[in-house]
Amino acid sequence: MDENNAVNAWCDGCEKFRLANGNEWNDTTEAHAKIKLLCRNCFDELEGFDTLKKAN
C-alpha cells in the first residue's frame, strides 16, 4: 500500500525495467508496464493468481 492506503502492484519484469530506466514511474516506464486501474475487488481476485506470493 502507498501513503494513501492504495494498493499498487506490478510484476518483477516491470520492476526491473523501471529500475533500469531511472527508478521512477514516468511516461516511458508506464508505457512499458501498460499500467491499468483495477477496483479493489478485481485486484483481490487477481491476487489469487500470484504464484510468487504463494511460494513465499
Side-chain angles (χ1 to χ4, degrees):
M1 284 192 206
D2 67 11
E3 64 277 355
N4 298 317
N5 292 323
V7 177
N8 298 291
W10 49 90
C11 72
D12 289 341
C14 288
E15 178 66 357
K16 288 176 186 174
F17 186 86
R18 185 184 70 86
L19 294 173
N21 288 277
N23 196 28
E24 304 254 345
W25 286 114
N26 55 43
D27 290 344
T28 301
T29 54
E30 288 181 24
H32 172 82
K34 299 179 181 132
I35 299 294
K36 303 279 189 278
L37 179 66
L38 294 174
C39 73
R40 182 58 194 237
N41 290 333
C42 289
F43 180 88
D44 289 344
E45 185 175 325
L46 287 172
E47 189 177 29
F49 294 103
D50 185 351
T51 56
L52 290 176
K53 186 175 182 178
K54 289 178 184 178
N56 294 321

